[in-house]
């Protein structure tokens, strides 16, 4: 266990033990880097898969794809595994790869400050401080739950909690429950609690598109085969990946093609919901894919049950124990469950990161998040984000994107070693050039212009307060892997102690070139 007020210097500090943080730890060890810590605010590993324990919690990406390529699991029980299995998988990764020795649990990062003279990060945590040559921030976009500012909520006398902070001590049986939101979390919660609650009032601000979920048990024979003949497992993963890669073009270039998918989703709804008035409420008025497509076989049937009331309007106000929707509908309830998502476009950790000029990453991102290749921000040397800006996906496995960024991390450290004269920790840092970050983002936003997320006619959490899509990657995972394969030194300033920016590299930067000139050949067309 870490000492209460430890101070330690490490080569790399990783933050978080979700897929991003644990993956970083594995890749660091494989690259021969053992001088690192992983700081985790909770008491165990798992990140969002540790925190989210709500009834029905599962992943809607098939498990054989939603897992590390370097840690295959022949034993996934279902196509779409539940949260307990995913969390157990991450615990096994921590054990099998010898990661626990590096992890400092119950250690919350409070502040990270770049110390220019020393060329290192000072990291203040709830349990002492660290200095680190490099920080890999893997806090993820789904770590801090968001509860909307609802007038009168404080006057509510019943139980209130967020889907990501489920209170298992509170018995919902026989209660009048309000569910707020109809996103990926809520549509899993609704069918799971509907049979046991007295009444369920669902506040729907925007109806989601919901497709059937092709879930089934993975048979014992399949699992045996996957264990004995690993190529069958690899083939399965490859097929799952390929299908999703082929879908990307419809999302990014040809949203009109998605009309056929809308027909399938409508038919799926009609099979379960017979009442035309309810169907009208449940039919979205935007292109499918604009918001995340949800997968469920039991959401619509649950809504058709007599103890469920669908309010076709957002929650506006709370008066005592009465909930009031924007359209004036009222419902008296005993408990409110918020399925209202997370702080995604306003990454909370950014407020705790102070860069070279003393301003925070949140200040630097006040007009919207942006990073070079989704990984590094200008003015924040040797600081890298896993699942950074524009690295999210609309239809495939985030683990693929995480692994691409981990490759970039390993190459970043290799570059530091080379620049440091072959010595590990050779006191040198890389700072993404402002022009390179700008050019990269111009390129990304240019590609974004015709995607379904921008033109599909919806407002989603993919978009920030300025309506800019700073979360999704507008291409295939193969393209992203290609552009994060290696660190291009011409996109960085090299910093050395006391010497400022490395003159040797001046003039070779991407500065001044148009985005197209830089990224042609990287699938930019
Ligand atoms: P979310 O997708 O952000 O959904 C939030 C929901 O709350 C939306 O339906 C939103 O409505 C609604 N909302 C916000 N304020 C409201 C109000 N005042 N009244 C009524 N409704 C209100 O959050 P989430 O469902 O937690 O999912 C977040 C992300 O987690 C997902 O997109 C996904 O990436 C991930 N997730 C994944 C899985 C999985 O199976 N892999 C499962 C769960 C979550 P509007 O649509 O009108 O904004």
């Amino acid at each position: 266990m870490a000492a209460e007020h430890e101070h330690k210097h490490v080569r790399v500090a990783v933050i978080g033990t979700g897929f991003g943080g644990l993956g970083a730890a594995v890749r660091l060890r494989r690259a021969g880097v053992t001088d690192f810590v992983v700081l985790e605010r909770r008491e165990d590993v798992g990140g969002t898969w540790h925190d989210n324990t709500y009834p029905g919690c599962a992943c809607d990406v098939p498990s054989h794809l939603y897992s590390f390529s370097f840690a295959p699991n022949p034993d996934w029980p279902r196509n779409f595994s539940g949260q307990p299995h995913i969390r157990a998988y991450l615990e096994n990764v921590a054990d099998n790869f010898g990661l626990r020795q590096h992890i400092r649990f119950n250690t919350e990062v409070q502040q990270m400050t770049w110390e220019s003279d020393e060329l290192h990060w000072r990291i203040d945590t709830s349990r002492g401080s660290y200095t680190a040559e490099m920080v890999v921030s893997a806090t993820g976009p789904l770590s801090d739950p968001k509860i909307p500012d609802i007038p009168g909520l404080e006057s509510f006398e019943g139980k209130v909690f967020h889907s990501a902070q489920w209170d298992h001590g509170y018995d919902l049986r026989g209660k009048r429950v309000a569910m707020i939101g109809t996103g990926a979390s809520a549509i899993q919660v609704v069918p799971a609690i509907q049979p046991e609650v007295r009444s369920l009032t669902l506040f729907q601000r925007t109806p989601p598109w919901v497709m059937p979920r092709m879930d089934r048990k993975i048979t014992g024979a399949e699992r045996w085969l996957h264990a004995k003949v690993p190529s069958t497992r690899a083939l399965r993963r490859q097929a799952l990946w390929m299908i999703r890669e082929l879908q990307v073009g419809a999302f990014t270039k040809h949203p009109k093609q998605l009309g056929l998918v809308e027909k399938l989703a409508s038919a799926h709804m009609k099979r379960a919901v017979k009442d035309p008035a309810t169907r009208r409420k449940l039919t979205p008025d935007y292109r499918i894919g604009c918001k995340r497509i949800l997968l469920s076989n039991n959401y619509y049937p649950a809504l058709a049950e007599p103890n469920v009331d669908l309010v076709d309007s957002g929650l506006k106000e709370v008066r005592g124990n009465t909930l009031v929707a924007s359209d004036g509908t009222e419902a008296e309830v005993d408990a409110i469950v918020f399925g209202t998502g997370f702080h995604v476009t306003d990454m909370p950790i950014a407020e705790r990161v102070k860069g070279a000029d003393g301003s925070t990453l949140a200040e630097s991102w006040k007009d919207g998040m942006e990073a070079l290749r989704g990984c590094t921000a200008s003015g924040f040397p040797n600081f890298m984000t896993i699942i950074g800006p524009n690295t999210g996906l609309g239809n495939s496995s985030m683990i693929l994107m995480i692994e691409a960024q981990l490759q970039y991390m390993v190459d970043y450290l290799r570059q530091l070693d080379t620049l440091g004269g072959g010595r590990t920790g050779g006191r040198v840092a890389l700072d993404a050039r402002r022009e390179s970050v700008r050019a990269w983002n111009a390129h990304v936003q240019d590609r974004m212009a015709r995607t379904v997320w921008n033109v599909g006619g919806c407002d989603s959490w993919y978009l920030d307060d300025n309506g800019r899509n700073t979360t999704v990657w507008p291409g295939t995972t193969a393209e992203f892997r290609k552009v994060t394969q290696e660190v291009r030194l011409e996109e960085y300033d090299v910093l050395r102690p006391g010497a400022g920016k490395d003159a040797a590299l001046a003039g070779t930067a991407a500065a001044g070139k148009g985005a197209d000139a830089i990224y042609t050949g990287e699938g930019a067309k």
Side-chain angles (χ1 to χ4, degrees), residues 180-187 202-208 294 299 310 339:
I180 317 300
T182 50
S185 302
I187 71 140
L202 178 60
F203 286 80
Q204 168 191 273
R205 197 164 63 180
T206 318
L294 308 183
Y299 176 62
L310 175 65

Side-chain angles (χ1 to χ4, degrees), residues 283-301:
T283 303
D285 63 357
Y286 56 88
R287 181 108 280 176
I288 196 168
C290 184
K291 283 173 183 279
R292 191 185 164 97
I293 301 174
L294 308 183
L295 305 182
S296 175
N297 297 335
N298 49 13
Y299 176 62
Y300 288 137

